[in-house]
Structures are given as structure tokens and as C-alpha cells.
Amino acid sequence: MSERFETWGKTHAVVPAAWASPADEAEVAEVVRRAAAAGQVVRVVGGGHSWSDGVVTDGVIVRLDRLDQLLQIDEQRGLATAQAGMRFRAFNEALAARGYAVSIVGSIDQQSLAGLLATGTHGSSLVHGNLSSFIVAMRIVTATGEVLVLDEGDERLPAARVSLGALGVVTQVTMRVERAFQVTESNTPVSFEAGVQALTTLAGESEWAKLWWLPHTDAAMLIRAHRSDTPATYSPRQRAFDERVVNARIFKGVLALGAVFPALIPALNRLVGAVYFTPRTVVGRSDLVLSMAMPPVHRESEWAIPAEHAADAIRRIRAAIEAQGLRVNFILEARFVKGDTNWMSPAYGRDTVQIGAYVGGSPDREAFYAAVAAIVATFGGRPHWGKEAAFDAALIRRVFPMAGAFATLVRQLDPAGVFRNPFVRRVIGS
Ligand SMILES: Cc1cc2nc3c(=O)[nH]c(=O)nc-3n(C[C@H](O)[C@H](O)[C@H](O)COP(=O)(O)OP(=O)(O)OC[C@H]3O[C@@H](n4cnc5c(N)ncnc54)[C@H](O)[C@@H]3O)c2cc1C
């Protein structure tokens, strides 16, 4: 029997008919041709770090772990070309070794390049878009096994930057990078109301900025970062301690306790707030400081709404948690993404705030997700493709202006549906 696939967040599991681990683009093409001839669906797994079912198929799951090299840095144009299966951490390390960096990173760096780009993974900045917006060229093995080469002159590149894996197997990407830089990141604990009020100016004042709020408490935290040349204080040891001890043991234990005794969640949150929502400043290499210690397994839903509604949305989510007595044992997060022109990007056409609704083992997860979904719907909320969100093709057509054009392109490039698993069908319709 074939190996089982399970998402990092334990949201989906499947035993595909077969796995494939091609060593180069020609082998990827062969895998796709064979699966297409056999009528099997093909999906690629990157790091498996999405909560959504993008990878899930009972057909063939392709692992690109052998396509993991940084191929070239074009110093004149500030571009880096890498194979699509390269992990983000390895990419950042390879860039740093050559004196380069990406301008934005998400919370973690375990994903593959193609995986994080396929879902519009973002950090928090109104100066920079999501990571997909940095793509200037791609190579994609399409349903016929042919290689589609897209560059900035190709009108399909804005469709392919956030591809959802629906156009084919991405084998190579070229992204804009910049000279390596350091940042100073500061955590400032504030009250809920002060944090929410700060949302209107926060992203305009700092190149990177986000807000956390701990439900059932008045504890919020402003996290801001700017470029700096002061001596580095970032400690790999501290990061390892945070991952292996604080998160993997203490925080995991707190989440487990809340899952077994949900009535304790408000008190546990107050404890967590008192211990962790404290002032802190770290200086160091941009990708290390802007990312975080790997958290324990938990669940995440996330929606993108116009940036100007950030405060209103967060206040309404707090009111819903209180009115419905929802027990939520994880932070609520507000992060910013500069608007772009990429068809399926949650930041398409508007500066955006991403509202992250997270939870670790609470019995109220579904009710919480539903409450958040209802609130963001009033602002034209768009789902984060890598997280948990209930949507169908009708909702997607309403909130993504280019969804119809994307569906048409998917059907042109893949008429037989070689890459069309249930996730893609929910996006483009049957
Ligand atoms: C702890 C944690 C923290 C996170 N933090 C953030 C964050 O800060 N910001 C944010 O935006 N997101 C965040 N995410 C979400 C994560 O970045 C996305 O879900 C991302 O897509 C995961 O990358 P992956 O390589 O694991 O992709 P997978 O989950 O393996 O795949 C994602 C999708 O991409 C497709 N795909 C993968 N490779 C290819 C390829 N070569 N060609 C075509 N399609 C492909 C897959 O089929 C699937 O549909 C976080 C996730 C976790 C678990």
C-alpha cells in the first residue's frame, strides 16, 4: 500500500494511488503524462504545511524534494532563480550566504517555494506584497507534459503567481530579492482598544507591523520592525529553546489542557498573556527575526479584507466571541499585505488586512470559524488558500474579480482536469 499523506495541522489525510519523486523537469513531465493517460489526478506536495486540502488526491502525489537548488542570482537585476521544491529556509540561507534576502517572510520557513507561492503566503507589510508578488518568471509543466515558460511579458503570469496548483507543476521560479539586511523588531504590549486603534496607522509607520490579541483578555501586542544596523541580538539558541521547550512542551501542554477542560481557556489565556505579552526587542538577519519559532500543531482560518476595515472587523470578532461564549485558546492576528494585480491573490486590487483566527483543540472551533466568516463576509472577505475556510465557487466569483478568467485559463491549460482535485473544483466550479 502507498504511503499516507497528512497535513501538518492534521486537517486532511489521504493514501494516494501513487507517489512520485522526480529528479528533474523531464521526469516531472513523464509523471504527468503517465498519470494523465491513466486518468489520474496529479497534485504536488511542498512542505504539507497548508491546513487546506490543496494537496489531497487519491491519484498521484508528486514530491519535489529533489528539485531543491538555488540556480542563479542575477545581481544586476536583483533576481534569484530556484527550483520549486526548495524549502524556504534553505532558500533564505542560500541567499544570505550570497548577501541577499527576500523582503518579506511569513511566520515560518518550513514550506517549499512553490507551495508557499501557490497559496499567496504573506508576511505583514503595506510596503511589500505577498511572496507571490515577487515572482518575475516561472516554469510550469502543464497537463500535456509540456513546459510553459512565463515571464513578465506574458499576460498569464498574474494568473500563475498564485496558482493553487491548478495550472500544472511549477518546477522553477525567479523572484525579486534585495541585498541582505538586518531588522530591529519590537513587541509592545498594549490594551485591546489601544491595539485596535493603532491599526489605522500601524502599517503606515513601520515597514513590517502586525497586531496580536489574546481572546478573553485585554492583552494585545503591537509587533513592529524596521531596518537597522545596530549589533545583532538574535540568538539561534533562544529560537531553538522557544521551539523545543516553550512551544513544543509548555504551549502545547496549555493547548491540550484547554482542549480537555475548555472552561479553563479564559484563565489559561490570561496566564499566557501575563507571561508572554511583555516588551521585547530583537535585532538580526531579516528572515530570522521576521519569522517565528515553530508553534505546536493547531488550526487556522484566515480571511483577507480591505485594510481600512481592520479595526472594525477585530472589534466585531471580539464581540462575537463574548456574545456567543466561544472559547478561543490562541491569538487573533491582524497582518497587512500590499495590494497587487495577481488574479487569485487575496490582496488582488486592494491593500489588505489578513485576519487570522487560530485555535488549538477548542470544542468551539467550528462556531468560531463560522462567526469570523460571517463578519468578514460583510467586508468581501477572501479566504487564505492554505488555511481553513468554507467557500464554494459562487463565493469565490463574488470576491475575486478575476476568478472567472482564472477558471477559463485552468480549463484551457488542463481541459481533462489532470490537476483538478476537489479543492480546485471548489474554486473554479464544476
Ligand atoms: C505553522 C504555520 C505557519 C504559517 N504561517 C504563515 C504565514 O505567516 N503567512 C501565510 O500566508 N501563510 C502561513 N502559513 C501557511 C503556509 O505558508 C501555506 O499553507 C503554504 O502553502 C504551505 O507551503 P507548503 O510548501 O507546505 O505547501 P503545501 O501545503 O504542500 O501545498 C500548498 C499548495 O501548493 C500546491 N503546490 C505545492 N508545490 C507545488 C508545485 N511545485 N507546483 C504546483 N503546485 C504546488 C499544493 O498542491 C497545494 O495546493 C503557515 C502554515 C503553518 C503550518
Side-chain angles (χ1 to χ4, degrees), residues 43-44 46-50 107 111-112 115 119 121-122 170 335 384:
R43 296 299 295 177
V44 186
H49 278 66
S50 296
S107 302
Q111 311 96 321
S112 71
T119 60
T121 292
H122 60 87
V170 177
R335 287 184 286 177
H384 184 309

Side-chain angles (χ1 to χ4, degrees), residues 5 7-9 28 42-56 61-64 67 83-88 105-124 130-131 138-141 163-172 210 290-298 300 302 333 335 337 354 358 384-387 419 421 423-424:
F5 164 75
T7 58
W8 176 88
V28 172
V42 177
R43 296 299 295 177
V44 186
V45 63
H49 278 66
S50 296
W51 284 268
S52 55
D53 55 342
V55 173
V56 174
I61 298 185
V62 179
R63 246 192 219 114
L64 286 193
L67 273 71
Q83 291 181 306
M86 189 171 197
R87 294 301 170 106
F88 197 43
V105 297
S107 302
I108 60 157
D109 57 10
Q110 316 265 313
Q111 311 96 321
S112 71
L113 275 180
L116 64 83
L117 297 169
T119 60
T121 292
H122 60 87
S124 191
N130 56 32
L131 280 152
M138 304 172 80
R139 292 176 68 91
I140 306 177
V141 173
S163 76
L164 315 176
L167 305 179
V169 181
V170 177
T171 55
Q172 188 176 303
K210 60 189 174 190
L290 292 172
S291 61
M292 291 171 22
M294 196 66 192
V297 170
H298 63 279
E300 294 199 2
E302 188 176 312
E333 186 172 44
R335 287 184 286 177
V337 182
Q354 300 271 158
Y358 316 148
H384 184 309
W385 300 116
K387 303 200 177 181
F419 300 107
N421 65 349
F423 172 77
V424 175

Side-chain angles (χ1 to χ4, degrees), residues 245-263:
V245 179
V246 179
N247 285 357
R249 290 170 191 267
I250 303 171
F251 191 23
K252 186 177 172 189
V254 170
L255 293 182
L257 195 60
V260 179
F261 303 107

Side-chain angles (χ1 to χ4, degrees), residues 356-411:
Y358 316 148
V359 65
S362 162
D364 298 335
R365 175 173 47 81
E366 287 189 9
F368 177 46
Y369 282 2
V372 171
I375 291 165
V376 296
T378 62
F379 302 113
R382 298 170 179 165
H384 184 309
W385 300 116
K387 303 200 177 181
E388 296 179 272
F391 64 79
D392 58 17
L395 183 146
I396 297 305
R397 289 276 169 122
R398 272 200 307 280
V399 298
F400 285 89
M402 297 303 284
F406 183 73
T408 303
L409 182 64
V410 170
R411 293 197 174 93

Side-chain angles (χ1 to χ4, degrees), residues 52-316:
S52 55
D53 55 342
V55 173
V56 174
T57 179
D58 56 8
V60 180
I61 298 185
V62 179
R63 246 192 219 114
L64 286 193
D65 286 352
R66 294 162 80 192
L67 273 71
D68 65 350
Q69 297 299 308
L70 176 65
L71 299 174
Q72 195 203 353
I73 293 184
D74 176 339
E75 304 214 350
Q76 289 218 306
R77 297 173 64 209
L79 302 177
T81 299
Q83 291 181 306
M86 189 171 197
R87 294 301 170 106
F88 197 43
R89 174 171 296 182
F91 182 63
N92 291 336
E93 287 296 340
L95 288 181
R98 303 271 301 270
Y100 283 86
V102 285
S103 308
I104 197 92
V105 297
S107 302
I108 60 157
D109 57 10
Q110 316 265 313
Q111 311 96 321
S112 71
L113 275 180
L116 64 83
L117 297 169
T119 60
T121 292
H122 60 87
S124 191
S125 173
L126 280 184
V127 177
H128 308 290
N130 56 32
L131 280 152
S132 307
S133 70
F134 288 80
I135 300 177
V136 299
M138 304 172 80
R139 292 176 68 91
I140 306 177
V141 173
T142 60
T144 54
E146 280 154 302
V147 180
L148 181 64
V149 182
L150 300 178
D151 60 25
E152 282 188 298
D154 196 308
E155 61 189 12
R156 293 167 296 184
L157 188 64
R161 286 196 179 103
V162 181
S163 76
L164 315 176
L167 305 179
V169 181
V170 177
T171 55
Q172 188 176 303
V173 291
T174 301
M175 297 174 67
R176 276 187 289 114
V177 292
E178 59 173 302
R179 297 299 305 191
F181 60 101
Q182 254 195 196
V183 298
T184 296
E185 184 182 76
S186 316
N187 291 2
T188 311
V190 291
S191 69
F192 172 82
E193 198 43 46
V196 166
Q197 279 175 21
L199 282 172
T200 41
T201 51
L202 188 64
E205 289 165 0
S206 299
E207 189 168 347
W208 301 271
K210 60 189 174 190
L211 173 77
W212 289 356
W213 169 59
L214 201 48
H216 314 293
T217 77
D218 197 39
M221 187 122 80
L222 297 174
I223 302 171
R224 292 176 275 217
H226 60 270
R227 291 169 194 256
S228 77
D229 290 326
T230 48
T233 59
Y234 172 87
S235 152
R237 270 181 154 193
Q238 181 65 45
R239 172 64 58 93
F241 179 78
D242 286 348
E243 281 188 354
R244 291 183 205 144
V245 179
V246 179
N247 285 357
R249 290 170 191 267
I250 303 171
F251 191 23
K252 186 177 172 189
V254 170
L255 293 182
L257 195 60
V260 179
F261 303 107
L264 291 181
I265 286 176
L268 289 170
N269 282 13
R270 284 194 288 276
L271 183 69
V272 170
V275 175
Y276 295 110
F277 278 41
T278 51
R280 193 191 70 131
T281 299
V282 185
V283 186
R285 205 176 86 193
S286 59
D287 59 294
L288 300 175
V289 172
L290 292 172
S291 61
M292 291 171 22
M294 196 66 192
V297 170
H298 63 279
R299 307 284 288 260
E300 294 199 2
S301 180
E302 188 176 312
W303 295 85
I305 63 171
E308 62 270 24
H309 298 306
D312 197 7
I314 301 239
R315 282 199 191 96
R316 285 170 64 182

